[in-house]
Amino acid sequence: MRTTTLLVAALIAGNALALGGTAPKPGDRVDDFMLLDHGGQAHKLYYLSDATAVVLMAHSATCPDFADTQSRFEAAADAYRDHDVVFLMVNSEPTAHAALRHDAQSGTPILIDQAGLVGDALGLTHAGELLVIDPERWQLRHRGVAGGDVGQVIDAVLNGGEVTPTEASAKTCALTYPVPPAAVSYAEDIAPMLADNCVTCHREGGIGPWAMTGYNMVRGFAPMIREVVRTKRMPPWHADPVHGTFINDRSLSTEEVRKLVHWVETGAPRGDGPDPLATLDAEWPDWGLGEPDLIVDIPAFDVPATGVVEYQYQRVVNPLDRDVWVRATEILPGDRAALHHVIATFRHPKPDGTGFGQRGGGLGGYVPGAEPRGAPENTGTFLPAGALLIFQMHYTPYGKSVTDHSKFGLYFHDTPPRHRLANAVLMNTRIRIPPNTKWHSEFAEQTFDRDVLLYSLLPHAHYRGTASEFRAFYPDGREELLLSVPNYDFNWQTTYVLEEPKVLPAGTRVVHTTWWDNSAQNPANPDPNREVPWGRQSWDEMLFGSLRFRYLDDEIAQATGGVEESGASD
């Protein structure tokens, strides 16, 4: 059956430029985008392809005549709730976004078009303006204004009829865009931005699928750059900016996003000046943190071309004859395509020399795209002489038989630090994700019995993971969202490092919640018809969260005591 999508969007006016042309007309294709709503949930246009209709209305927080329009729209949303019709509103008023994120009370999601790019490309000019889009080909069906009965418009579209376009009435509030960036220069604006934010991956030998070696390469991939920025697939940063500030934030600023996308939409002109990317003289050393104090060879492993490789656990005895305090570690992967992740832990030797005990700790690891980072100032991990180093290796065959020979680099403190790092693991191995379910959540929690200083948070799920959060419930009754990842991406296992470490007083309960999409709408889903349990392989799922912290009452008096038990991610 032919399905249709009704979009009612209020976006900003101005010189509306679609890629290579003007605002789309009926029959034109409408491009994908992703926006967060006023509650922090992610919405992607093309994900809505299974709806009978998706209705978006242009939202305004400042228009005095808009309240009645919104009331009629929300009444229609209630009336069509059982007809596979999705209703959304879109707000592109930058001055209203902070209040909407904190104070908006709406049963219908209000999408926050922070950069104004979606409205700019669609060329919408007034609050209440309507777009009707067919999801079979993502074609625009209708452009109008929600000045009358929204239900009549929906019925006409669903029944295959045409809807007569209408002009905005004099009472409809016009919306204005920020002025598009003027005279954007490839040499002075675009190339330096790409060099600072993208080339670390998009270079020869990097993990990016193509190298930004100069203007000609960038121009060839310009439409893709626009797409991945509009859908927020790139840069790979997935935290909601409203909750927390992180020192490893890879996102572009709103102004940088506007500048980059508008440059693409105006044809990605070369302009005058040198090409900074073509002459970029950056060094990419094997070890991102410099030459390690100790390099440990992880035993090689032959990865077959096909099939399933169970987790490998490689063991190496610490070759040092002295105790050390570790300030940083780094994994140098042997074959990046085959090696999915590494988790390094250790166990203490038994005092009688007969083997290794259960006491130990974590020593970091590797996942694609992760940046090596040292321990917070005046902190470290105690590693005794003769300890057993254990490397959990996850390999994924990719059609070619290879031998992985990875290396483990350790960096030491010259003198013992003041504090030792600790790690808390919040996981739930009893998860069961129902089949054909778009939005299923479960949680794990831990209550701290001592005051701690929190440094970083890591959420982890597999292919079906779609969102994740850490929420603190303080002993005085307060509640705080420490980290929200509304657009979780299994391809980027990010540790979110707080710009300002946060004190969690004794009695604080931290709840880690993950949401999964086990439906056919999830393109990464291996099997939507399966109830999914906990499991180490990626076709199963995980609810796993890691918190890195130190105890506030902990001062290192001796270089040998009190190393915490470790947990390990899969």
Side-chain angles (χ1 to χ4, degrees):
M1 182 181 70
R2 183 178 178 82
T3 57
T4 49
T5 300
L6 179 64
L7 297 180
V8 186
L11 305 165
I12 299 177
N15 298 324
L17 292 171
L19 184 60
T22 58
K25 303 178 295 296
D28 291 345
R29 183 178 179 84
V30 176
D31 296 329
D32 197 8
F33 62 84
M34 194 282 282
L35 296 173
L36 302 186
D37 68 20
H38 69 288
Q41 184 173 339
H43 298 262
K44 186 176 181 181
L45 176 62
Y46 283 13
Y47 179 81
L48 304 173
S49 60
D50 64 336
T52 303
V54 179
V55 183
L56 291 83
M57 183 174 70
H59 181 275
S60 172
T62 60
C63 179
D65 300 322
F66 187 70
D68 290 342
T69 303
Q70 181 170 343
S71 295
R72 291 195 303 270
F73 184 79
E74 294 194 348
D78 290 336
Y80 284 86
R81 197 171 302 278
D82 297 329
H83 294 79
D84 295 326
V85 179
V86 177
F87 285 74
L88 301 168
M89 293 181 281
V90 179
N91 185 286
S92 300
E93 303 167 312
T95 58
H97 290 162
L100 287 173
R101 286 302 309 269
H102 289 95
D103 302 325
Q105 300 294 322
S106 173
T108 303
I110 304 171
L111 307 187
I112 306 298
D113 184 17
Q114 185 67 43
L117 294 175
V118 176
D120 190 16
L122 294 176
L124 303 181
T125 61
H126 292 79
E129 191 170 356
L130 304 177
L131 295 180
V132 181
I133 298 174
D134 177 1
E136 284 190 342
R137 297 179 179 84
W138 295 110
Q139 288 179 331
L140 183 64
R141 285 277 312 279
H142 169 76
R143 182 186 292 271
V145 174
D149 188 340
V150 175
Q152 290 180 359
V153 176
I154 298 172
D155 289 340
V157 173
L158 297 183
N159 293 327
E162 295 299 325
V163 182
T164 303
T166 58
E167 298 295 332
S169 68
K171 294 182 179 179
T172 302
C173 295
L175 304 172
T176 57
Y177 271 116
V179 177
V184 176
S185 164
Y186 168 78
E188 297 180 6
D189 299 308
I190 300 304
M193 184 194 312
L194 299 178
D196 290 342
N197 296 279
C198 309
V199 173
T200 183
C201 292
H202 289 274
R203 58 180 174 84
E204 298 294 344
I207 65 173
W210 60 282
M212 294 183 176
T213 53
Y215 170 76
N216 288 334
M217 285 295 291
V218 173
R219 177 65 183 89
F221 283 95
M224 179 182 290
I225 291 174
R226 177 181 181 270
E227 176 194 353
V228 299
V229 171
R230 282 169 50 95
T231 58
K232 296 184 172 60
R233 302 207 312 272
M234 288 287 150
W237 183 256
H238 306 99
D240 185 340
V242 169
H243 304 287
T245 305
F246 305 93
I247 61 176
N248 57 330
D249 187 343
R250 292 187 291 245
S251 64
L252 298 175
S253 69
T254 299
E255 183 57 34
E256 287 174 324
V257 168
R258 285 196 191 108
K259 188 175 294 186
L260 179 57
V261 171
H262 277 294
W263 177 74
V264 173
E265 290 177 343
T266 55
R270 170 64 177 87
D272 299 324
D275 186 347
L277 294 182
T279 58
L280 188 64
D281 189 24
E283 294 186 2
W284 308 103
D286 289 340
W287 298 98
L289 298 177
E291 190 68 15
D293 296 311
L294 174 66
I295 298 176
V296 174
D297 286 323
I298 301 175
F301 181 78
D302 294 329
V303 183
T306 60
V308 176
V309 177
E310 297 297 331
Y311 279 31
Q312 300 297 305
Y313 290 86
Q314 305 287 16
R315 292 167 170 80
V316 178
V317 176
N318 178 11
L320 296 177
D321 59 1
R322 69 185 191 282
D323 300 337
V324 294
W325 282 93
V326 179
R327 61 178 177 84
T329 61
E330 185 176 351
I331 300 283
L332 187 63
D335 190 298
R336 294 181 183 272
L339 185 61
H340 177 268
H341 77 245
V342 182
I343 296 173
T345 58
F346 70 93
R347 292 182 183 175
H348 284 248
K350 291 182 178 180
D352 61 6
T354 60
F356 304 94
Q358 294 302 310
R359 276 207 315 155
L363 288 171
Y366 162 82
V367 289
E371 299 175 351
R373 187 173 298 275
E377 186 177 4
N378 288 322
T379 68
T381 301
F382 177 71
L383 179 64
L388 181 66
L389 305 178
I390 304 171
F391 302 96
Q392 181 197 82
M393 316 289 289
H394 183 188
Y395 293 107
T396 54
Y398 62 99
K400 176 183 177 182
S401 298
V402 296
T403 298
D404 175 69
H405 189 180
S406 298
K407 298 178 182 296
F408 183 50
L410 298 97
Y411 303 81
F412 304 142
H413 282 288
D414 295 330
T415 59
R418 291 179 58 190
H419 310 285
R420 55 182 173 268
L421 281 175
N423 188 68
V425 171
L426 282 67
M427 65 181 181
N428 181 350
T429 60
R430 299 182 301 277
I431 61 173
R432 289 293 184 273
I433 304 170
N436 299 297
T437 303
K438 282 189 174 183
W439 190 248
H440 177 78
S441 68
E442 300 200 31
F443 70 93
E445 64 180 52
Q446 176 170 324
T447 299
F448 289 94
D449 58 3
R450 296 161 61 186
D451 296 344
V452 305
L453 186 64
L454 179 66
Y455 292 115
S456 64
L457 310 97
L458 166 68
H460 176 76
H462 291 165
Y463 292 132
R464 298 170 178 86
T466 191
S468 195
E469 72 172 31
F470 291 85
R471 193 176 294 266
F473 296 86
Y474 295 107
D476 63 3
R478 290 181 301 119
E479 177 181 332
E480 181 181 10
L481 187 53
L482 302 173
L483 169 69
S484 175
V485 182
N487 189 31
Y488 178 84
D489 186 344
F490 176 62
N491 296 300
W492 297 93
Q493 301 290 321
T494 302
T495 296
Y496 296 88
V497 184
L498 292 166
E499 187 172 272
E500 292 292 335
K502 183 173 291 291
V503 174
L504 304 181
T508 298
R509 179 169 59 96
V510 176
V511 178
H512 173 46
T513 304
T514 292
W515 288 263
W516 297 272
D517 180 357
N518 191 22
S519 75
Q521 288 298 106
N522 178 359
N525 192 349
D527 183 1
N529 298 313
R530 174 174 175 252
E531 181 185 68
V532 184
W534 169 279
R536 290 180 172 178
Q537 295 291 349
S538 300
W539 55 78
D540 290 328
E541 269 303 335
M542 285 195 171
L543 194 169
F544 180 99
S546 176
L547 305 178
R548 200 180 194 193
F549 64 94
R550 71 170 174 86
Y551 292 106
L552 283 178
D553 59 3
D554 173 56
E555 291 280 344
I556 295 173
Q558 300 179 7
T560 57
V563 180
E564 76 283 356
E565 293 293 327
S566 69
S569 165
D570 291 324

